[in-house]
Amino acid sequence: MNSVTVRVPAKVNLQLAVGPLRDDGYHDLVNVFHAVSLFDEVTAAAETGMSVRVEGESADQVPEDDDNLAIRAAVALARHAGRSYGVSLAIRKAIPVAGGMAGGSADAAAALVACNELWGLGLPLEDLMEIAADLGSDVPFALLGGTAVGTGRGERLTPLEAAGPFHWVFALADGGLSTAKVYAECDRIRAEEGLPVAEPRAAGALLAALRDGDAKALGAELTNDLQRAALRLRPSLAATLEAGRGHGALGALVSGSGPTCAFLAASAAHAGELAGALRGAGVAREVLTAHGPVPGPAVV
Ligand code: C5P
């Protein structure tokens, strides 16, 4: 086999409950991940060394060296297999970069799947999941897809029943937000308030809405503990969220650490109307529609 191409979806967080800061610098989470139909494509081709090229949406903001999460994934997989494999990775991006939609994690997950195939390793998902958890908190979910709740750092996953399809509109912002900085801002806000931080818990009503495919109920239950921090770092997002609510979104929230804003619509037609209204309001760099849940990475 000379090359393998894997298509991998973005995610939005339906509930992101952030617990107190842990001694290791991470936070315990309850993180309800939902994979949506916005895809990156990663092609792995046989080569002696390791290299990566990135094209598409904001490609100039993605490193093309050893810092690239997809290359780190390939290196980690070769190390796991105990062999000095090489690969040339080509990433075609559609998922916004540093946008709170786990684009980098998706590329890492796709690289694991593609290299596992290219190198004929035949490792089971379980092994890839372990490597994924070392690469980043969101990489295990990017391997899984669908809808799942993540605990611990977000890497301990339980798949959830979700009826769907749910129809989404995503408002992309100029520039990204650093996940670490948004978590740090969240800690700062909490320190200023001086209130105790509760252990994160999954919202029963949200899980029921997912199970029933009830978009209206789901819209009312969307929550993100990082949202206030993202809004403090990027105050213009308040107007974006307000515009979506004003145009009839069933729910509106910052996706993960932002700055992408996610809006739940009642139907595909409603998502199209809402997207048009948001474009007209001039509150986003670009507006996209998608549906979820969708399956995880797949060889194409
Ligand atoms: O795991 P990952 O490298 O994606 O995390 C990026 C940053 O996000 C971490 O360095 C940490 O600052 C923050 N984070 C956190 N708690 C989590 C996940 C991420 O504080 N559960």
Side-chain angles (χ1 to χ4, degrees):
M1 200 176 310
N2 286 325
S3 82
V4 177
T5 297
V6 170
R7 199 171 82 132
V8 63
K11 62 86 179 156
V12 59
N13 305 86
L14 307 179
Q15 181 191 1
L16 181 44
V18 179
L21 180 63
R22 309 192 316 202
D23 292 341
D24 65 358
Y26 286 87
H27 299 75
D28 275 321
L29 305 178
V30 163
N31 197 346
V32 178
F33 294 103
H34 183 67
V36 294
S37 61
L38 248 181
F39 300 98
D40 279 1
E41 257 182 29
V42 176
T43 299
E47 201 195 82
T48 44
M50 292 262 185
S51 65
V52 63
R53 259 180 315 115
V54 187
E55 59 175 57
E57 158 74 29
S58 304
D60 56 333
Q61 290 164 43
V62 183
E64 288 185 323
D65 56 21
D66 293 351
D67 281 346
N68 186 291
L69 202 52
I71 279 287
R72 283 168 45 201
V75 168
L77 182 64
R79 190 172 302 142
H80 179 93
R83 300 277 299 272
S84 60
Y85 292 108
V87 67
S88 122
L89 296 172
I91 304 176
R92 186 194 292 266
K93 291 217 62 77
I95 305 173
V97 176
M101 298 192 77
S105 301
D107 298 343
L112 289 176
V113 172
C115 292
N116 190 34
E117 187 87 10
L118 180 76
W119 298 335
L121 299 175
L123 292 176
L125 182 63
E126 253 183 295
D127 288 29
L128 298 184
M129 282 288 200
E130 256 176 52
I131 301 170
D134 286 339
L135 291 166
S137 307
D138 289 356
V139 185
F141 175 74
L143 272 176
L144 199 65
T147 306
V149 59
T151 56
R153 283 187 291 129
E155 86 287 14
R156 288 206 301 267
L157 293 169
T158 308
L160 290 176
E161 240 183 279
F166 295 102
H167 298 278
W168 296 94
V169 178
F170 295 102
L172 279 50
D174 275 319
L177 277 176
S178 147
T179 303
K181 284 187 182 152
V182 175
Y183 274 100
E185 186 68 25
C186 175
D187 292 335
R188 207 169 297 129
I189 292 172
R190 288 172 165 183
E192 283 166 18
E193 291 179 344
L195 301 170
V197 179
E199 285 306 320
R201 281 184 200 292
L206 179 118
L207 303 186
L210 276 169
R211 207 168 40 230
D212 299 344
D214 185 339
K216 193 155 180 255
L218 181 61
E221 289 298 326
L222 299 171
T223 57
N224 179 359
D225 283 355
L226 292 180
Q227 182 157 310
R228 283 199 300 162
L231 285 168
R232 261 226 318 218
L233 295 172
R234 196 68 71 81
S236 62
L237 297 181
T240 309
L241 291 172
E242 207 36 58
R245 289 191 195 106
H247 286 99
L250 302 178
L253 85 174
V254 169
S255 178
S257 53
T260 305
C261 292
F263 304 93
L264 186 59
S267 64
H270 181 216
E273 286 162 23
L274 185 55
L278 286 168
R279 283 186 200 108
V283 290
R285 170 170 64 85
E286 197 181 342
V287 182
L288 303 171
T289 57
H291 62 271
V294 295
V299 175
V300 292

